[in-house]
Amino acid sequence: MLILHCPCCGIDADETELHPGGEAHVKRFGPGASDAEFESYLFGRENPKGVHFERWRHANGCGKWFHAARDTVTLEVFGTYSAQLTAPPQDIRDAVTAKRPGWSWRDFA
Amino acid sequence: MKRYSAFAIAKEALRQHMGWERAWASPDPRASYDVIIIGAGGHGLATAYYLGKNFGITNVAILEKGWLGGGNTGRNTTIIRSNYLQDASAAIYEKARSLYETLSQELNYNVMFSPRGVMMLAQTQHEVRGYLRTAHANALQGVTTEFITPQRVKELCPIMNIDGPRYPVLGALWQPRGGTARHDAVAWGYARACSDMGMHVIQKCEVTGVRSEGGRVTGVTTTRGDIGCSKLGIVVAGHSGHVAEMAGFRLPLESIALQALVSEPIKPCMDVVVMANTVHGYMSQSDKGEMVIGGGTDGFNNYTQRGSFHHIEETVRALVETFPMISRLKMLRQWGGIVDMTGDRSPILSATPLEGCFINCGWGTGGFKAIPGSGWGMAELMAKGASPLTAEFGLNRFREGRFIDESVAAGVAH
């Protein structure tokens, strides 16, 4: 079972306590965005085979949203971090790089 | 190709079965083909088969990274039905179901199609209204379905408890010509027929890159060398996003794990397929006697072909009330497949931003039933550039807001 550390309340939560919220850091363009940009925001997904960033909600716990960095092939969790950020923080990127040398943020895009 | 028949069996019986041929060849890849199909699952092989049969295009290679039908083709619960709400869906699924009826004769390969009937239980008032609506839509679409009473449900499936306190059976949407087929045999039958037409079914050949020139596809890079082509079909289900990335475009897809399980084999007790969408469970009995049970998907992206245990627990727990006898059964084995889910739960059969490259994906949790229809439409799309079966399933529907919304119509289970 997937176990994620909730950065909001500080406990390790089982998958049954959590609700998945889909891909993180999906960019929403402002007013005047083109159809292509809006389509990309609504439907386009990286869906990577490998390093992935997701939104999760600690639904049966503190109720707060957070982000997780995970590998979709090995199910390894690299770390969790605040949902307030628009890109993964440096310590999460370092943790991913330590396990996946040569990886860089959004190089799969 | 030597035809399979009762006469052939009698003849081989007299000479210790030494005269059987290999069902399909294992050729080395040529330098180039007219058409390359990536993915030798049901949909890829069916596409190749109808390219040859309907359009005479036989200079075709089907590349498979693993083994024939080793992905979702061999991992589903083999349910075949076409009782969808939307016209575009009903058309392609009903085409598939009708092709299944004669597929064994067509391919000279026994796919064990068993039109035993599929019922989708209505266990809430909401579902009753939804299925009544679907039954009316199906009548207009020419798909034979009817809404049946709880008493009729009990007659058709006596092991069911229709008076459950939490999930009473209020009726069901019944498609008498739905059923099941042997999933591996569908892949094997198509592969044998493709090989017979001179096509190359190449296993253990993983595509690692898509080559293009001036916005047009020119071939693929594989673990067995570069192979050229003038048209490319990507038919790789859960790995569609991964291969599309090689071809330089993104898809509105997410890959997640869907699980199924079988019980220990028992004596025949159930000769219909039952789907219970309220509780995310569906069940039929295989010819070996195992109860084949499928459940819900995980909620997060996953490429591991295994799912979370608690989903199995949920599925079985919910089914036990409706089928009390399965509480005494042991689970024999469990497996997972990676399904490619679109936002509207309908597939994508489409041209792509890369000229000459076509994609067939997004079948999500319900691809097996569509294999012949999907191959039929995809072959027409690749050969002629358009097909009435696939017209509504283009990639542009997401930008244009023309969804074929089966997520509200079909619930979750397929």
Side-chain angles (χ1 to χ4, degrees), chain B residues 250-288:
Chain B
R250 285 203 311 178
L251 290 170
L253 285 180
E254 296 205 80
S255 299
I256 54 179
L258 173 66
Q259 296 178 84
L261 62 138
V262 293
S263 73
E264 58 191 328
I266 54 174
K267 286 185 177 179
C269 65
M270 179 180 175
D271 59 359
V272 294
V273 180
V274 176
M275 310 181 68
N277 290 343
T278 297
V279 297
H280 288 217
Y282 34 110
M283 186 160 86
S284 64
Q285 189 170 23
S286 75
D287 291 349
K288 285 184 284 185

Side-chain angles (χ1 to χ4, degrees), chain A residues 15 39-40 47 70 72-73, chain B residues 239 250 301 303-304 308 399:
Chain A
E15 189 185 333
E39 180 194 13
S40 163
N47 194 21
R70 246 183 2 103
T72 59
V73 177
Chain B
H239 280 70
R250 285 203 311 178
N301 296 38
Y303 281 85
T304 59
S308 302
R399 181 171 306 183

Side-chain angles (χ1 to χ4, degrees), chain B residues 11-340:
Chain B
K11 191 172 149 199
E12 290 302 327
L14 296 175
R15 50 174 183 175
Q16 280 78 46
H17 293 278
M18 300 299 281
W20 297 113
E21 302 172 332
R22 292 185 75 93
W24 52 83
S26 292
D28 287 322
R30 281 203 289 266
S32 80
Y33 297 87
D34 290 345
V35 175
I36 289 179
I37 305 287
I38 307 175
H43 290 263
L45 290 162
T47 301
Y49 174 76
Y50 293 111
L51 273 173
K53 179 167 179 276
N54 295 352
F55 301 98
I57 301 168
T58 55
N59 185 16
V60 176
I62 306 117
L63 310 180
E64 170 56 49
K65 91 174 163 173
W67 66 96
L68 257 182
N72 292 352
T73 306
R75 293 169 184 272
N76 56 77
T77 47
T78 78
I79 298 170
I80 295 166
R81 63 180 180 89
S82 60
N83 51 354
Y84 282 74
L85 178 68
Q86 312 291 347
D87 290 349
S89 315
I92 196 164
Y93 287 108
E94 176 63 11
K95 176 73 183 170
R97 196 206 57 76
S98 65
L99 288 168
Y100 265 121
E101 296 241 1
T102 53
L103 197 62
S104 294
Q105 292 79 4
E106 162 113 19
L107 298 176
N108 181 232
Y109 201 97
N110 188 3
V111 302
M112 297 164 71
F113 176 59
S114 160
R116 59 184 65 181
V118 174
M119 67 169 75
M120 295 169 78
L121 298 183
Q123 294 179 296
T124 63
Q125 284 300 335
H126 175 77
E127 274 186 307
V128 171
R129 284 191 289 272
Y131 288 144
L132 279 168
R133 181 183 177 207
T134 304
H136 293 313
N138 288 159
L140 294 171
Q141 291 152 347
V143 177
T144 308
T145 61
E146 64 177 305
F147 190 82
I148 58 174
T149 61
Q151 289 67 39
R152 178 96 174 103
V153 170
K154 183 78 180 170
E155 281 165 32
L156 286 163
C157 187
I159 63 170
M160 202 186 298
N161 169 24
I162 60 170
D163 307 313
R166 281 180 74 195
Y167 308 113
V169 175
L170 305 174
L173 182 65
W174 171 238
Q175 183 171 26
R177 295 300 290 176
T180 61
R182 173 79 203 274
H183 49 10
D184 298 317
V186 173
W188 297 336
Y190 275 123
R192 176 167 170 265
C194 287
S195 186
D196 183 50
M197 286 191 279
M199 295 179 183
H200 282 185
V201 182
I202 302 163
Q203 302 179 69
K204 294 183 191 164
C205 177
E206 183 175 356
V207 171
T208 52
V210 174
R211 292 183 296 139
S212 63
E213 219 174 87
R216 207 192 144 76
V217 70
T218 57
V220 293
T221 312
T222 75
T223 48
R224 294 180 66 177
D226 289 357
I227 309 174
C229 69
S230 50
K231 281 183 185 169
L232 178 68
I234 301 172
V235 196
V236 294
H239 280 70
S240 295
H242 186 57
V243 177
E245 187 193 331
M246 296 176 197
F249 54 91
R250 285 203 311 178
L251 290 170
L253 285 180
E254 296 205 80
S255 299
I256 54 179
L258 173 66
Q259 296 178 84
L261 62 138
V262 293
S263 73
E264 58 191 328
I266 54 174
K267 286 185 177 179
C269 65
M270 179 180 175
D271 59 359
V272 294
V273 180
V274 176
M275 310 181 68
N277 290 343
T278 297
V279 297
H280 288 217
Y282 34 110
M283 186 160 86
S284 64
Q285 189 170 23
S286 75
D287 291 349
K288 285 184 284 185
E290 301 155 342
M291 304 308 286
V292 183
I293 297 170
T297 53
D298 284 351
F300 54 87
N301 296 38
N302 185 347
Y303 281 85
T304 59
Q305 295 188 323
R306 58 177 188 268
S308 302
F309 178 75
H310 69 95
H311 280 289
I312 298 183
E313 193 185 8
E314 275 168 19
T315 299
V316 174
R317 188 171 62 204
L319 282 175
V320 163
E321 181 185 304
T322 309
F323 299 94
M325 62 164 274
I326 66 169
S327 69
R328 294 289 176 271
L329 284 181
K330 293 187 182 78
M331 185 174 91
L332 187 64
R333 60 202 161 82
Q334 163 274 351
W335 65 92
I338 301 307
V339 296
D340 42 341

Side-chain angles (χ1 to χ4, degrees), chain A residues 8-23:
Chain A
C8 305
C9 65
I11 68 161
D12 290 334
D14 281 353
E15 189 185 333
T16 46
E17 232 175 280
L18 301 163
H19 190 78
E23 195 164 302

